[in-house]
Every structure is written in C-alpha cells, then in structure tokens.
Amino acid sequence: MTRSGHEYLESLQDGREVWLDGERVKDITTHAAFRNTAASVAHLYDLAHDPVHRDVLVSGGVHRTYAVPRSYEDLVGRRRAYKVWAESSFGFLGRTPDYMAGGAAGFAAVPHIFTTDTFDGAANALAYHRRLAEGGLYCAFTITNPHSGKGDDDLVVRVVEEKDGGIVVRGAKMIGTGAVFADEVIVGTIEPLAPGDVDHALCFSVPVDTCGLKFVSRTSYEAQARGVFDNPLSSRFDENDSLLVCDDVFVPWERVLTYRNVEATAAMWWQTPAYLNFVHQAATRFWTKLEFLTGLAILLTRAGGTYQLPPVTQAVGRLLGMVAQAKAFVLAAEASYEQVDGGRGGVMPGTEISYAQRIMAGELYPRAVQEIKQLAGGSVIQLPASAEDLLHPEIGPVLSTYLRAPGTAAEDRIKLLKLAWDALGSEFAARHEQYERFYHGAPHVYLTMQTWAGGAESCENLAQSCLDGYGLRLGTGQ
C-alpha cells in the first residue's frame, strides 16, 4: 500500500534548505507559508487509503500513475487516477506527485534512450522509476535554465569536478514548482542545447535535503492569506515555485541519468513518453479546473439573479463548451494512443492531440477567466476586508443587511465572492493564468514540436491534391 499523508509529512522534516524572505525555513510542515499546502498534498496520499478511491488510485500496491501503460484501458485507468487527485484541489495543484510519476514511467518505457557513448544511464533510469513507485515518492523538477547574459553561462548547473563516486555540480535552475514539498528533485534541461554544449548536457535526481542544495522561494500566497474564509484557494493550494541553487552538490553516479550528451539530455523528454505523460496529467487537471471555474460562474450568476438572462445564458454556454473542449482533448489523446518502441514500451497518448492540447490550454484559459470576470462584475472588488467585519457587533449587522442578495444570505454571498476573487483576480490567480500559459515550456518549444509531430505532412498533401486536381504546379507560374 502507498504511504499515508502522515508518513509524507514526516518525510518533509529532513532539514531541507528552503529560503523565504531572507530567512531559512526550519520546518515547512509548520511554517505559515507552506503548512496548509503540505497538508493538502498529504491529503492526496490519504485518498489512496480511502475505500471510495483506493481501487482507482492503487494497482499492484503502488499508485496507478507510476505504472507503464500497456493498453488503452491502462491510459483510461491512469486518467481516472489523475482526475481524483485533480478534483481534490479543484485543479489548482498542478505539479502533484502524479506529474513526475508519469515522467518516470516514460523513462522506464524506453530505457535504451539513456545509453550513449558518453554515459550509460539506462539502469539508473529504471532504478529511478522503481524508487519513486515503490516509495510513493514525490519528485519535482527544475529543467529550465536561468536567463543570463552573454558570457554568464557559468550560472547554469554544470559539472565542476568528477570523482570516483560521482560528480560535483554548481549553478542554478528554474522553475521548481512544488519543489519545496517534494522528496526528490530532477535537474535537467528540456530546452534544446547547442550541439556542442556538453558541459550543460546532464540530468540527475537527488533528494531535496542533499547538502548544498538550496531552494529560494517566491512570495508565498499562503502566507499572505487571511484564512480559508477570505482566501479559500490560496490558503491551501499554493504549490509554490522556487529557484534551485546547487552549491557544489555531490551527485552519486547512480543518480545520474544523462551526462555530457546533448542528444540524450533532450531525447529523455521528447523521444520517450515522458512529455506526453506530463500532458496527460496536465490535460486532465486543466479539464477539472475549467469544470470548477464554470461551476463558479454558474453559482455567481444564480446568486446574482442573472442566470436566466439571455446574454448570461450564452456566456455560460460558451464556458460549458470550453469544458467539453478540454475533456475532448483528453479523451482524444487516449483514443489516438500510440505504441512505444513497437509495443515493447507499452502505449502512450497520441502525439498530435497531446501537443495540440498544450496550445489550446494556454490560449483558452485566459479567455475563460475573462468570461467569468465579466459575469462577476464589480461585486468581487467591493468586499469586506476579512471575516472579522462580519463578526463585529456594530458593522456586522450592516453588512448582513446591505450585502445580501435575494435568496442568499450576506455571509454566503461574501464567501462565494471571495472564492471568485481568489480564483480570478488575486495575485494567486494571476500566477495561475501565467502558469497555464508556460507550465510546459515556452510556446516556441511546444509549437515547434507540434510542427514536427507529423500532422503537417497530411495537411500539405491535401492542399497539394487540390492543386493537382486543377493541373496546377507550384513554382510554375500557372
């Protein structure tokens, strides 16, 4: 059976080096900036022990998302597990443990990708997958290089010394979403490297409490939250993002996946099912998130008495269409599954649909948020500062009188509007809009991969057949 939420929280008390506001955090399970989100992640583990969800989440004694899918039915089963965890946070926790579980399963499907003339990481990749699966471990990743000026490449993680037992690395990586809550962090590069840039062509995974590993946290929205009443989402689901700094970190050879090989360092993401597995999890979560936001829009318009108005009905219809679109991409990716390595590596979601989902989600999310903001109107910005106002003997009755709506008590209406603001207009919400645009990399990366996915040829051939039908030839002037 997978580990419990209590066991997970205990594992976080390991002395990991997390920095916030100029101070080192002693224990993220008790610190005001991290404790509630850590508890939300712990709840995910506890769901696997709940009889209602156990069979969906667990197979063969491990979480289902660690398994290498062998059939269409396996993909559907994995998606159902993704959905249970996504619904637990209403889609606002993106890099939960099942995210990198799919990545590790992708590595294990085709381990020979890690065998090169510079380093053989195949056994390490299989051991990495087995370690995560058997321990139910939460692995985050930092696979983006920090932006640096010309001549400053030494800021990026690189090897500064080789030893008999491993390598010593120095430098920084971005963006460690959820990394402060993880057991391990994988450090690599998903962006294409220059052909000869072998110094930065490496990937490894180490425990988060490894000596010399530092995580510098961004502003904590959880720490700024007043409580669940005033900030129902950001107080519990701020998965955090951090800068990873390696200060002469020793990495044993058995923890290294790729080394001094540009091709393998990119191929581990793009020529294994890893990236497509990421999209499968993220697309399921995105679908769930749009369901939540659309439901929120419906509650807002019902409470405001505008739900039956034709323009509002049309707006809700557009949102429901977006939900159906998000769902369709998930189901289509599963239905168009492809064999991996001739079937030896199982199956993976369809490549073209998966890349297209990434494009769709980044463009659709801001539209959905804007649609709901229009429906919410100005009510979300004229709210009491906190629940304390409602409890005050003098001002509380005033608010109860003037902030109620037909059929909705003032307190209930305020709760709903504060939830809407947290989801749509807060700093937490702004981060999520940016996250949905970039969490799978910059557009120039995944748009290029879409072009290479194979659909371009069939489109080109169809257009050419039209020309052929009229006896036209490109480049002839006819």
Side-chain angles (χ1 to χ4, degrees):
M1 177 57 71
T2 62
R3 64 177 174 174
S4 67
H6 177 71
E7 291 170 328
Y8 163 72
L9 290 174
E10 281 190 329
S11 74
L12 299 179
Q13 298 170 311
D14 54 9
R16 61 190 58 200
E17 190 171 347
V18 178
W19 289 85
L20 174 69
D21 290 335
E23 295 182 0
R24 181 171 177 177
V25 177
K26 293 181 180 179
D27 183 353
I28 68 169
T29 68
T30 59
H31 195 282
F34 306 103
R35 63 191 178 197
N36 291 339
T37 302
S40 295
V41 176
H43 176 64
L44 299 179
Y45 283 104
D46 284 336
L47 287 175
H49 297 260
D50 184 340
V52 175
H53 301 295
R54 184 169 53 222
D55 290 343
V56 174
L57 293 174
V58 180
S59 177
V62 300
H63 196 281
R64 194 178 296 273
T65 56
Y66 292 100
V68 176
R70 299 290 173 182
S71 66
Y72 166 75
E73 289 74 20
D74 287 347
L75 288 176
V76 172
R78 185 171 69 178
R79 180 247 300 161
R80 289 173 175 161
Y82 287 152
K83 196 76 166 65
V84 169
W85 272 16
E87 289 179 353
S88 179
S89 68
F90 314 102
F92 284 90
L93 287 179
R95 297 282 172 80
T96 42
D98 52 349
Y99 190 85
M100 197 58 220
F107 300 158
V110 279
H112 59 81
I113 291 291
F114 296 86
T115 299
T116 70
D117 56 356
T118 58
F119 184 77
D120 189 353
N124 293 351
L126 290 172
Y128 169 72
H129 174 246
R130 184 168 56 252
R131 182 170 68 248
L132 295 192
E134 293 177 352
L137 300 184
Y138 181 177
C139 187
F141 63 56
T142 52
I143 55 178
T144 302
N145 292 329
H147 296 289
S148 57
K150 189 175 181 180
D152 288 335
D153 286 344
D154 59 346
L155 299 179
V156 178
V157 169
R158 68 213 181 277
V159 176
V160 294
E161 185 180 359
E162 275 192 21
K163 295 185 175 182
D164 290 341
I167 53 178
V168 178
V169 299
R170 184 185 303 162
K173 283 283 182 177
M174 301 164 52
I175 299 172
T177 301
V180 300
F181 302 106
D183 297 293
E184 291 192 18
V185 59
I186 194 167
V187 182
T189 301
I190 197 169
E191 301 160 335
L193 294 171
D197 191 9
V198 296
D199 292 337
H200 298 117
L202 74 156
C203 183
F204 57 87
S205 184
V206 291
V208 169
D209 65 340
T210 297
C211 182
L213 207 61
K214 296 177 174 63
F215 298 89
V216 185
S217 169
R218 60 147 165 83
T219 297
S220 170
Y221 309 134
E222 180 180 325
Q224 296 175 344
R226 303 289 292 269
V228 174
F229 183 95
D230 295 298
N231 308 95
L233 298 173
S234 56
S235 64
R236 296 178 294 160
F237 305 124
D238 180 19
E239 63 186 346
N240 204 274
D241 308 282
S242 58
L243 174 72
L244 174 140
V245 178
C246 296
D247 187 6
D248 289 356
V249 171
F250 176 72
V251 182
W253 285 119
E254 59 268 23
R255 291 275 184 165
V256 178
L257 300 177
T258 68
Y259 185 53
R260 297 187 68 80
N261 190 289
V262 171
E263 291 76 15
T265 301
M268 63 180 288
W269 308 108
W270 302 109
Q271 294 181 31
T272 75
Y275 185 84
L276 298 178
N277 289 349
F278 289 159
V279 176
H280 195 201
Q281 187 267 6
T284 305
R285 178 199 55 79
F286 182 77
W287 162 24
T288 304
K289 197 174 188 180
L290 283 188
E291 284 182 319
F292 165 79
L293 291 175
T294 299
L296 181 60
I298 293 171
L299 291 175
L300 285 169
T301 56
R302 288 191 187 281
T306 62
Y307 183 70
Q308 297 296 335
L309 296 178
V312 173
T313 303
Q314 293 169 23
V316 171
R318 282 193 292 271
L319 289 168
L320 289 170
M322 294 179 189
V323 173
Q325 187 176 347
K327 177 181 179 180
F329 270 91
V330 176
L331 302 186
E334 293 167 357
S336 62
Y337 71 91
E338 303 166 19
Q339 290 191 335
V340 179
D341 193 23
R344 290 179 290 275
V347 300
M348 63 184 182
T351 303
E352 292 180 42
I353 299 296
S354 297
Y355 288 155
Q357 190 281 337
R358 178 74 288 276
I359 299 168
M360 176 277 298
E363 297 174 351
L364 191 65
Y365 190 79
R367 288 170 46 205
V369 169
Q370 182 62 26
E371 191 82 64
I372 302 170
K373 283 182 177 180
Q374 292 285 356
L375 293 173
S379 56
V380 291
I381 59 175
Q382 183 59 70
L383 288 171
S386 76
E388 297 300 319
D389 289 322
L390 283 169
L391 297 174
H392 194 277
E394 181 176 347
I395 199 64
V398 173
L399 295 176
S400 295
T401 299
Y402 290 102
L403 291 185
R404 69 177 187 270
T408 306
E411 182 177 342
D412 292 339
R413 183 167 179 262
I414 291 169
K415 287 178 181 178
L416 177 60
L417 292 173
K418 281 185 173 287
L419 174 61
W421 183 250
D422 213 15
L424 304 171
S426 65
E427 190 173 359
F428 171 83
R431 180 264 179 193
H432 270 270
E433 184 168 334
Q434 195 73 354
Y435 177 81
E436 296 297 348
R437 294 175 187 266
F438 291 101
Y439 69 87
H440 272 158
H444 75 269
V445 176
Y446 59 75
L447 287 173
T448 299
M449 292 302 171
Q450 176 74 66
T451 302
W452 292 346
E457 183 178 356
S458 62
C459 296
E460 182 182 1
N461 289 341
L462 183 60
Q464 183 62 56
S465 70
C466 177
L467 290 171
D468 292 343
Y470 288 101
L472 301 176
R473 293 293 181 270
L474 294 179
T476 65
Q478 295 179 323

